[in-house]
């Protein structure tokens, strides 16, 4: 599968349909496959943190979750077909799993959130099995790993926020008895109904970040990563022209 290097991060050149098919294949393969979902903020952070960058680049698939990533690839002369949002990919995977009765384990968020998300997922994706849940407030990795493995899950959604979730998956991958693990950020809060996704208009026009900023002004400091990412990509693009 072709990769596009954006500030040192190798992003898969896939659209949503291709990413979904690849994830479905991973669910049928032996061993643990990993999928990470970096947006421009995460790529910027990874570009400045070698250890984390190496973790991201070890994934079996890295999708462009963020319109800034798509624009960045275009500026660098290696356009990506479209944004592949982590939440949307998770939905496609769950939809596919519901047809075959596969099992998902939800890890992360505040106490009670994963349970509510599990209930809503079960109602929306008839046929899927919830293998288990655990909140993100834990200190004993082994206890959580035992819970996941005992649940006999196929798909593990790790929603601990970056960089913790990717590092946790990478650290414990060899101990997990699942087929596919994805770093899914705030997906559980969305599935639980605690956080609303941006309306279609914002998503279609690549300004979902603006909707989030209006709803959560406290995100302003985090949003400063967007122009910094853009400037860094432009500078790199000019260097290689």
């Amino acid at each position: 599968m072709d990769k596009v290097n954006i500030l040192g991060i190798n992003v898969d050149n896939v659209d949503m349909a291709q990413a979904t098919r690849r994830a479905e294949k991973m669910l049928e393969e032996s061993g643990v496959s990993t999928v990470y979902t970096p947006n421009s903020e995460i790529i910027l952070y990874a570009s400045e943190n070698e250890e984390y960058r190496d973790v991201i680049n070890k994934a079996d698939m890295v999708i462009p979750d963020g319109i800034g990533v798509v624009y960045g690839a275009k500026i660098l002369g290696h356009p990506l077909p479209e944004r592949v949002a982590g939440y949307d990919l998770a939905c496609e995977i769950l939809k596919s799993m519901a047809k075959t009765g596969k099992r998902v384990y939800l890890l992360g968020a505040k106490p009670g959130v994963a349970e509510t998300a599990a209930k809503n997922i079960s109602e929306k994706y008839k046929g899927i099995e919830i293998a288990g849940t655990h909140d993100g407030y834990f200190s004993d990795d082994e206890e959580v790993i035992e819970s996941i493995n005992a649940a006999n899950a196929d798909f593990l959604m790790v929603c601990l926020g970056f960089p913790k979730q990717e590092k946790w998956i990478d650290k414990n991958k060899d101990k997990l008895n699942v087929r596919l693990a994805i770093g899914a950020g705030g997906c559980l809060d969305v599935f639980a109904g605690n956080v609303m996704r941006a309306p279609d208009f914002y998503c279609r026009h690549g300004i979902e970040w603006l909707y989030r900023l209006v709803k959560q002004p406290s995100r302003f400091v985090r949003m400063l990563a967007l122009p910094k990412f853009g400037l860094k990509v432009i500078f790199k693009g000019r260097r290689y022209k």
Side-chain angles (χ1 to χ4, degrees):
M1 191 176 292
D2 292 339
K3 302 271 189 178
V4 175
N5 186 288
I6 305 174
L7 302 184
I9 301 301
N10 297 317
V11 179
D12 285 274
N13 191 351
V14 292
D15 58 23
M16 180 60 73
Q18 291 169 326
T20 301
R21 288 195 296 271
R22 180 65 184 125
E24 290 172 339
K25 185 178 179 183
M26 290 174 181
L27 284 167
E28 302 299 331
E29 296 172 341
S30 59
V32 182
S33 295
T34 55
V35 175
Y36 298 146
T37 63
N39 57 20
S40 52
E41 180 186 7
I42 294 174
I43 288 181
L44 178 63
Y45 179 86
S47 73
E48 298 170 350
N49 293 267
E50 183 178 0
E51 179 188 1
Y52 183 57
R53 182 167 67 248
D54 291 343
V55 167
I56 294 289
N57 284 335
K58 282 193 284 183
D60 294 286
M61 181 165 64
V62 178
I63 61 172
D65 182 355
I67 196 64
V69 181
V70 176
Y71 288 156
K74 186 175 182 180
I75 290 170
L76 293 172
H78 302 286
L80 294 164
E82 64 179 354
R83 175 196 178 199
V84 181
Y87 174 80
D88 292 335
L89 177 60
C91 289
E92 291 300 317
I93 294 171
L94 294 171
K95 186 191 303 182
S96 175
M97 289 173 60
K99 299 174 184 176
T100 55
K102 284 186 167 58
R103 299 165 62 81
V104 59
Y105 192 105
L106 309 177
L107 172 62
K110 295 180 180 179
V113 173
E115 288 83 354
T116 302
K119 179 177 180 293
N120 293 341
I121 288 171
S122 294
E123 292 176 354
K124 183 174 182 179
Y125 302 102
K126 302 294 184 181
I128 200 167
E129 292 193 39
I130 304 297
T133 65
H134 198 292
D135 64 64
Y137 291 77
F138 60 88
S139 57
D140 187 348
D141 284 356
E142 295 305 319
E143 179 184 331
V144 174
I145 292 167
E146 286 180 13
S147 173
I148 295 167
N149 290 343
N152 195 30
D154 301 289
F155 180 38
L156 173 63
M157 292 179 59
V158 183
C159 301
L160 303 175
F162 88 93
K164 184 177 180 180
Q165 62 193 15
E166 293 84 10
K167 289 183 176 182
W168 191 90
I169 293 172
D170 184 69
K171 174 185 174 184
N172 297 300
K173 176 182 174 181
D174 294 338
K175 301 177 184 178
L176 292 169
N177 183 28
V178 299
R179 298 294 180 88
L180 174 60
I182 185 172
C187 282
L188 291 187
D189 281 306
V190 180
F191 282 122
N194 296 335
V195 175
M196 300 300 295
R197 290 207 75 197
D200 288 343
F201 172 83
Y202 290 86
C203 295
R204 288 198 312 270
H205 291 82
I207 52 174
E208 191 172 357
W209 61 269
L210 178 59
Y211 178 83
R212 291 177 181 174
L213 181 59
V214 170
K215 290 293 183 180
Q216 295 178 277
S218 60
R219 294 175 63 93
F220 176 75
V221 174
R222 288 184 60 183
M223 291 297 178
L224 293 177
L226 298 178
K228 184 177 179 181
F229 168 83
L231 290 172
K232 199 166 184 178
V233 168
I234 291 170
F235 177 72
K236 181 176 180 179
R238 287 180 175 176
R239 281 175 60 193
Y240 291 100
K241 283 185 177 179

